[in-house]
Every structure is written in C-alpha cells, then in structure tokens.
Amino acid sequence: MHKKTVVIVCGPTAIGKTSVALQLALEFNTQIISADSRQCFKELNIGVAKPTDKELEQVTHYFINSNSIKDEVNAASFETYALDSVEEIFGSNTIAIMVGGTGLYIKAFCEGLDHIPKIPTEIRNNITQHYLSNGLAWLQKQVLEKDPTYWHIAEQQNPQRLMRALEVFETTGNSINHYKSGSKANRDFNIIKIGLETTRNLLYQNINERVDEMMQNGLINEVKSLLPYKKLNALQTVGYKEIFNYLEGVCTLEEAIELLKKNTRHYSKRQITWFKKDEQIQWFQPNEWSKIIAFIKNKT
C-alpha cells in the first residue's frame, strides 16, 4: 500500500458527483481534479454544468477553465495534466480527489493509454466536417465498413469514439484495436473508486430538472455566443448541438429542449454501462455520506 491516495468519484451525469467531491475535499482538506472532458473549456459554462463560482472558491479545482475550445484536448493530454496535478496536490496532502463522468479520461489516469500515432489536422477536420454534414448514420456506416473489428465492440451511439476510430484508420490503415496492447501502467499511489448510483426514475428526473435549470440560467445566450465556433470538436457535445439546431431553425425550442433531455438520458446510460464494467468501483447512493467516508478511511 502506498501512503498517497487518489479518491475517484464517478458515475452518470446529474447524479450529484460535484456535491460529493466537494464534501470529500473539505473532509480531507484537499483539492479536486476534474475528469470531465468539457468542463475544462473556459468558454463553456451552463451547458456543461460546471461547478458554481462559490464551489470553485471553496476548493481548488484542476482541469476547470484550464483550456480554450480552440485547444486540442484528449485522454492523452488529460493523463499528463492529471498526473502532474496529483503530484502537486501530494506536495501538501496524502489524499487527492478526482471527480467526473468521462470514463476514458479516468481510465487513462488510472491505467495509462496505448500509443496511437498522431492524427493529422486535415484528416481530423475532414471527418468532423463530414459528420456535421451527414450525421451519425454516416459515421456509423464508415466505421462499420472500414473498421468492422472495432465496430462490434464500439459504443455505436458515441460519435466521439467513432470519429476517433475513423481518424486512426484514415491515418494508418489499421484498426484502432491494433494499437490496444492491454498492458496497464503502474501508478505510485493508491486509487479508490467511488461510484454513485440511484434509481433510473430519479436520475431521469434529475436530468430533466437540470436541463430546465440550464434554460432558465441562459443556455440559449451561451450557445448563441458560440455559433461562430460550432464546428470545433469541443462543441460536438450534448447541450450545444441541440440548441445550435434551434438557433439555425432546424427545430423549435420545445423540440430542442426535449431532444436535449433525451440525448442526456442516453449519455447517462452509456456512462453507467462504462463504469459498471469496472469491478474496482464501490457503489453508493449519493446521500450515503457516512458510508462513503467510512469506506475511504478503511482503505487509507
């Protein structure tokens, strides 16, 4: 057992991860590293459910407002950033908190990533443009035809994963699976994984209420300010695509809101599927605070 420990709080969107992570950071007098692939962008706020200014003042957060939407941010860059950040936290504390719902980022931090050749910008941009013009069905067909080995194990509704696989094929001529070694990096600290779960009905209620709150807080104006950048990879995400469609007259506002809720529910199901595969995660209800604390103290 190493003395240093990273406690990871994970689970689906709108489950209450931010609140639990804040309580843990205050309990252990430490700091938080976000493992959210969109909250790192300083231009995105309402649509990514970023912690409030008050919450950010309470506890130091890493990987929040750390990048611009014009930057290329991925699991590999997060791995480097998070490992540097955790060492900084360990300079004054033996416990660090990580929180987020981006499973691949958490996996990269815990296990490392396989080396995949660098993707030329023109290939990435070309695939993104075709996806924006032709939609998910086009992307699915491309991956099925060009990388059938990956397609059969892929998150087939996840455009980011599918575009990544297509980028690798177009760059190398190989399946993305060709670069998956299966070997895991050894970290010189302990990792405790806390998963948050609740009933599907309550989670979906939380999602619907969060979307309604986003609309009340000015999501339309936020997305409107980002219209010139709508083709950037950072904005190919739930919460922005739907409102872009409304602003461009593709659908009504009511249709955009319902689609946003539906897509968020689908995203939460993908997150749950990802995290449930990880046998190292100990699951709790978000309000089981005393049990979570007791579990962590027993492991450190």
Side-chain angles (χ1 to χ4, degrees), residues 260-276:
L260 174 47
K261 291 176 178 178
K262 178 182 175 182
N263 287 343
T264 305
R265 292 194 296 268
H266 288 169
Y267 176 55
S268 73
K269 287 168 67 176
R270 294 198 300 271
Q271 289 175 299
I272 292 168
T273 299
W274 174 288
F275 289 122
K276 284 293 184 178

PDB file of all heavy atoms in Angstrom, residues 260-276:
ATOM      1  N   LEU A 260     -32.607  17.534 -26.080  1.00  0.00           N
ATOM      2  CA  LEU A 260     -31.505  17.692 -25.129  1.00  0.00           C
ATOM      3  C   LEU A 260     -31.699  16.762 -23.933  1.00  0.00           C
ATOM      4  O   LEU A 260     -30.764  16.095 -23.483  1.00  0.00           O
ATOM      5  CB  LEU A 260     -31.409  19.148 -24.678  1.00  0.00           C
ATOM      6  CG  LEU A 260     -30.414  19.516 -23.574  1.00  0.00           C
ATOM      7  CD1 LEU A 260     -29.056  18.897 -23.819  1.00  0.00           C
ATOM      8  CD2 LEU A 260     -30.309  21.030 -23.462  1.00  0.00           C
ATOM      9  N   LYS A 261     -32.913  16.701 -23.421  1.00  0.00           N
ATOM     10  CA  LYS A 261     -33.195  15.797 -22.302  1.00  0.00           C
ATOM     11  C   LYS A 261     -33.006  14.338 -22.719  1.00  0.00           C
ATOM     12  O   LYS A 261     -32.402  13.538 -21.986  1.00  0.00           O
ATOM     13  CB  LYS A 261     -34.623  16.028 -21.787  1.00  0.00           C
ATOM     14  CG  LYS A 261     -34.818  17.362 -21.087  1.00  0.00           C
ATOM     15  CD  LYS A 261     -36.272  17.585 -20.679  1.00  0.00           C
ATOM     16  CE  LYS A 261     -36.430  18.913 -19.939  1.00  0.00           C
ATOM     17  NZ  LYS A 261     -37.846  19.178 -19.568  1.00  0.00           N
ATOM     18  N   LYS A 262     -33.520  14.003 -23.899  1.00  0.00           N
ATOM     19  CA  LYS A 262     -33.404  12.632 -24.397  1.00  0.00           C
ATOM     20  C   LYS A 262     -31.940  12.242 -24.607  1.00  0.00           C
ATOM     21  O   LYS A 262     -31.506  11.155 -24.179  1.00  0.00           O
ATOM     22  CB  LYS A 262     -34.171  12.498 -25.715  1.00  0.00           C
ATOM     23  CG  LYS A 262     -34.087  11.125 -26.368  1.00  0.00           C
ATOM     24  CD  LYS A 262     -34.831  11.111 -27.687  1.00  0.00           C
ATOM     25  CE  LYS A 262     -34.666   9.784 -28.410  1.00  0.00           C
ATOM     26  NZ  LYS A 262     -35.358   9.790 -29.726  1.00  0.00           N
ATOM     27  N   ASN A 263     -31.157  13.109 -25.239  1.00  0.00           N
ATOM     28  CA  ASN A 263     -29.750  12.808 -25.505  1.00  0.00           C
ATOM     29  C   ASN A 263     -28.941  12.718 -24.214  1.00  0.00           C
ATOM     30  O   ASN A 263     -27.996  11.924 -24.121  1.00  0.00           O
ATOM     31  CB  ASN A 263     -29.148  13.860 -26.435  1.00  0.00           C
ATOM     32  CG  ASN A 263     -29.645  13.726 -27.859  1.00  0.00           C
ATOM     33  OD1 ASN A 263     -30.192  12.689 -28.240  1.00  0.00           O
ATOM     34  ND2 ASN A 263     -29.480  14.763 -28.658  1.00  0.00           N
ATOM     35  N   THR A 264     -29.314  13.534 -23.223  1.00  0.00           N
ATOM     36  CA  THR A 264     -28.628  13.462 -21.936  1.00  0.00           C
ATOM     37  C   THR A 264     -28.938  12.145 -21.240  1.00  0.00           C
ATOM     38  O   THR A 264     -28.064  11.527 -20.623  1.00  0.00           O
ATOM     39  CB  THR A 264     -29.021  14.650 -21.035  1.00  0.00           C
ATOM     40  OG1 THR A 264     -28.771  15.874 -21.737  1.00  0.00           O
ATOM     41  CG2 THR A 264     -28.195  14.653 -19.758  1.00  0.00           C
ATOM     42  N   ARG A 265     -30.178  11.692 -21.338  1.00  0.00           N
ATOM     43  CA  ARG A 265     -30.537  10.388 -20.759  1.00  0.00           C
ATOM     44  C   ARG A 265     -29.752   9.271 -21.434  1.00  0.00           C
ATOM     45  O   ARG A 265     -29.241   8.367 -20.770  1.00  0.00           O
ATOM     46  CB  ARG A 265     -32.043  10.139 -20.893  1.00  0.00           C
ATOM     47  CG  ARG A 265     -32.902  11.059 -20.043  1.00  0.00           C
ATOM     48  CD  ARG A 265     -34.339  10.540 -19.945  1.00  0.00           C
ATOM     49  NE  ARG A 265     -35.021  10.513 -21.227  1.00  0.00           N
ATOM     50  CZ  ARG A 265     -35.758  11.505 -21.707  1.00  0.00           C
ATOM     51  NH1 ARG A 265     -35.871  12.640 -21.026  1.00  0.00           N
ATOM     52  NH2 ARG A 265     -36.386  11.388 -22.873  1.00  0.00           N
ATOM     53  N   HIS A 266     -29.641   9.336 -22.767  1.00  0.00           N
ATOM     54  CA  HIS A 266     -28.871   8.326 -23.490  1.00  0.00           C
ATOM     55  C   HIS A 266     -27.397   8.357 -23.081  1.00  0.00           C
ATOM     56  O   HIS A 266     -26.766   7.309 -22.923  1.00  0.00           O
ATOM     57  CB  HIS A 266     -28.991   8.549 -25.002  1.00  0.00           C
ATOM     58  CG  HIS A 266     -30.330   8.186 -25.546  1.00  0.00           C
ATOM     59  ND1 HIS A 266     -30.724   8.506 -26.825  1.00  0.00           N
ATOM     60  CD2 HIS A 266     -31.377   7.534 -24.987  1.00  0.00           C
ATOM     61  CE1 HIS A 266     -31.951   8.073 -27.032  1.00  0.00           C
ATOM     62  NE2 HIS A 266     -32.371   7.480 -25.931  1.00  0.00           N
ATOM     63  N   TYR A 267     -26.877   9.568 -22.901  1.00  0.00           N
ATOM     64  CA  TYR A 267     -25.484   9.712 -22.465  1.00  0.00           C
ATOM     65  C   TYR A 267     -25.282   9.095 -21.084  1.00  0.00           C
ATOM     66  O   TYR A 267     -24.302   8.395 -20.831  1.00  0.00           O
ATOM     67  CB  TYR A 267     -25.100  11.189 -22.465  1.00  0.00           C
ATOM     68  CG  TYR A 267     -23.707  11.473 -21.948  1.00  0.00           C
ATOM     69  CD1 TYR A 267     -22.599  10.845 -22.508  1.00  0.00           C
ATOM     70  CD2 TYR A 267     -23.502  12.371 -20.902  1.00  0.00           C
ATOM     71  CE1 TYR A 267     -21.316  11.103 -22.035  1.00  0.00           C
ATOM     72  CE2 TYR A 267     -22.226  12.638 -20.422  1.00  0.00           C
ATOM     73  CZ  TYR A 267     -21.139  11.999 -20.989  1.00  0.00           C
ATOM     74  OH  TYR A 267     -19.875  12.244 -20.514  1.00  0.00           O
ATOM     75  N   SER A 268     -26.229   9.327 -20.183  1.00  0.00           N
ATOM     76  CA  SER A 268     -26.113   8.767 -18.832  1.00  0.00           C
ATOM     77  C   SER A 268     -26.116   7.237 -18.870  1.00  0.00           C
ATOM     78  O   SER A 268     -25.394   6.587 -18.102  1.00  0.00           O
ATOM     79  CB  SER A 268     -27.250   9.280 -17.939  1.00  0.00           C
ATOM     80  OG  SER A 268     -28.491   8.684 -18.263  1.00  0.00           O
ATOM     81  N   LYS A 269     -26.897   6.652 -19.776  1.00  0.00           N
ATOM     82  CA  LYS A 269     -26.928   5.196 -19.902  1.00  0.00           C
ATOM     83  C   LYS A 269     -25.584   4.665 -20.391  1.00  0.00           C
ATOM     84  O   LYS A 269     -25.101   3.629 -19.906  1.00  0.00           O
ATOM     85  CB  LYS A 269     -28.043   4.776 -20.870  1.00  0.00           C
ATOM     86  CG  LYS A 269     -29.444   4.939 -20.297  1.00  0.00           C
ATOM     87  CD  LYS A 269     -30.522   4.797 -21.362  1.00  0.00           C
ATOM     88  CE  LYS A 269     -30.602   3.402 -21.917  1.00  0.00           C
ATOM     89  NZ  LYS A 269     -31.741   3.277 -22.881  1.00  0.00           N
ATOM     90  N   ARG A 270     -24.944   5.381 -21.315  1.00  0.00           N
ATOM     91  CA  ARG A 270     -23.618   4.963 -21.788  1.00  0.00           C
ATOM     92  C   ARG A 270     -22.591   5.057 -20.657  1.00  0.00           C
ATOM     93  O   ARG A 270     -21.710   4.200 -20.530  1.00  0.00           O
ATOM     94  CB  ARG A 270     -23.178   5.814 -22.980  1.00  0.00           C
ATOM     95  CG  ARG A 270     -24.024   5.626 -24.232  1.00  0.00           C
ATOM     96  CD  ARG A 270     -23.308   6.124 -25.479  1.00  0.00           C
ATOM     97  NE  ARG A 270     -22.974   7.527 -25.433  1.00  0.00           N
ATOM     98  CZ  ARG A 270     -23.774   8.509 -25.844  1.00  0.00           C
ATOM     99  NH1 ARG A 270     -24.986   8.212 -26.305  1.00  0.00           N
ATOM    100  NH2 ARG A 270     -23.389   9.766 -25.797  1.00  0.00           N
ATOM    101  N   GLN A 271     -22.701   6.112 -19.847  1.00  0.00           N
ATOM    102  CA  GLN A 271     -21.777   6.256 -18.720  1.00  0.00           C
ATOM    103  C   GLN A 271     -21.940   5.098 -17.735  1.00  0.00           C
ATOM    104  O   GLN A 271     -20.953   4.527 -17.269  1.00  0.00           O
ATOM    105  CB  GLN A 271     -22.032   7.587 -18.004  1.00  0.00           C
ATOM    106  CG  GLN A 271     -21.596   8.817 -18.777  1.00  0.00           C
ATOM    107  CD  GLN A 271     -21.991  10.090 -18.047  1.00  0.00           C
ATOM    108  OE1 GLN A 271     -23.176  10.335 -17.816  1.00  0.00           O
ATOM    109  NE2 GLN A 271     -21.010  10.898 -17.678  1.00  0.00           N
ATOM    110  N   ILE A 272     -23.185   4.774 -17.416  1.00  0.00           N
ATOM    111  CA  ILE A 272     -23.447   3.684 -16.473  1.00  0.00           C
ATOM    112  C   ILE A 272     -22.878   2.376 -17.016  1.00  0.00           C
ATOM    113  O   ILE A 272     -22.230   1.608 -16.286  1.00  0.00           O
ATOM    114  CB  ILE A 272     -24.960   3.564 -16.199  1.00  0.00           C
ATOM    115  CG1 ILE A 272     -25.449   4.790 -15.414  1.00  0.00           C
ATOM    116  CG2 ILE A 272     -25.269   2.276 -15.431  1.00  0.00           C
ATOM    117  CD1 ILE A 272     -26.966   4.913 -15.344  1.00  0.00           C
ATOM    118  N   THR A 273     -23.110   2.106 -18.297  1.00  0.00           N
ATOM    119  CA  THR A 273     -22.580   0.883 -18.918  1.00  0.00           C
ATOM    120  C   THR A 273     -21.069   0.829 -18.806  1.00  0.00           C
ATOM    121  O   THR A 273     -20.487  -0.219 -18.463  1.00  0.00           O
ATOM    122  CB  THR A 273     -22.997   0.812 -20.402  1.00  0.00           C
ATOM    123  OG1 THR A 273     -24.419   0.786 -20.491  1.00  0.00           O
ATOM    124  CG2 THR A 273     -22.428  -0.426 -21.071  1.00  0.00           C
ATOM    125  N   TRP A 274     -20.399   1.942 -19.058  1.00  0.00           N
ATOM    126  CA  TRP A 274     -18.934   2.007 -18.983  1.00  0.00           C
ATOM    127  C   TRP A 274     -18.457   1.707 -17.565  1.00  0.00           C
ATOM    128  O   TRP A 274     -17.605   0.841 -17.341  1.00  0.00           O
ATOM    129  CB  TRP A 274     -18.448   3.383 -19.436  1.00  0.00           C
ATOM    130  CG  TRP A 274     -16.976   3.595 -19.270  1.00  0.00           C
ATOM    131  CD1 TRP A 274     -16.288   3.777 -18.104  1.00  0.00           C
ATOM    132  CD2 TRP A 274     -15.986   3.613 -20.303  1.00  0.00           C
ATOM    133  NE1 TRP A 274     -14.950   3.930 -18.341  1.00  0.00           N
ATOM    134  CE2 TRP A 274     -14.728   3.829 -19.673  1.00  0.00           C
ATOM    135  CE3 TRP A 274     -16.031   3.490 -21.691  1.00  0.00           C
ATOM    136  CZ2 TRP A 274     -13.536   3.909 -20.402  1.00  0.00           C
ATOM    137  CZ3 TRP A 274     -14.843   3.580 -22.410  1.00  0.00           C
ATOM    138  CH2 TRP A 274     -13.615   3.784 -21.768  1.00  0.00           C
ATOM    139  N   PHE A 275     -18.994   2.433 -16.584  1.00  0.00           N
ATOM    140  CA  PHE A 275     -18.494   2.311 -15.212  1.00  0.00           C
ATOM    141  C   PHE A 275     -18.858   0.969 -14.577  1.00  0.00           C
ATOM    142  O   PHE A 275     -18.101   0.459 -13.747  1.00  0.00           O
ATOM    143  CB  PHE A 275     -19.013   3.471 -14.359  1.00  0.00           C
ATOM    144  CG  PHE A 275     -18.387   4.798 -14.702  1.00  0.00           C
ATOM    145  CD1 PHE A 275     -19.173   5.877 -15.084  1.00  0.00           C
ATOM    146  CD2 PHE A 275     -17.004   4.973 -14.642  1.00  0.00           C
ATOM    147  CE1 PHE A 275     -18.593   7.099 -15.403  1.00  0.00           C
ATOM    148  CE2 PHE A 275     -16.422   6.194 -14.968  1.00  0.00           C
ATOM    149  CZ  PHE A 275     -17.210   7.263 -15.348  1.00  0.00           C
ATOM    150  N   LYS A 276     -19.989   0.380 -14.955  1.00  0.00           N
ATOM    151  CA  LYS A 276     -20.394  -0.895 -14.365  1.00  0.00           C
ATOM    152  C   LYS A 276     -19.455  -2.033 -14.780  1.00  0.00           C
ATOM    153  O   LYS A 276     -19.434  -3.094 -14.132  1.00  0.00           O
ATOM    154  CB  LYS A 276     -21.835  -1.236 -14.750  1.00  0.00           C
ATOM    155  CG  LYS A 276     -22.893  -0.434 -13.989  1.00  0.00           C
ATOM    156  CD  LYS A 276     -22.917  -0.796 -12.504  1.00  0.00           C
ATOM    157  CE  LYS A 276     -24.027  -0.074 -11.774  1.00  0.00           C
ATOM    158  NZ  LYS A 276     -24.092  -0.436 -10.339  1.00  0.00           N
TER     159      LYS A 276
END
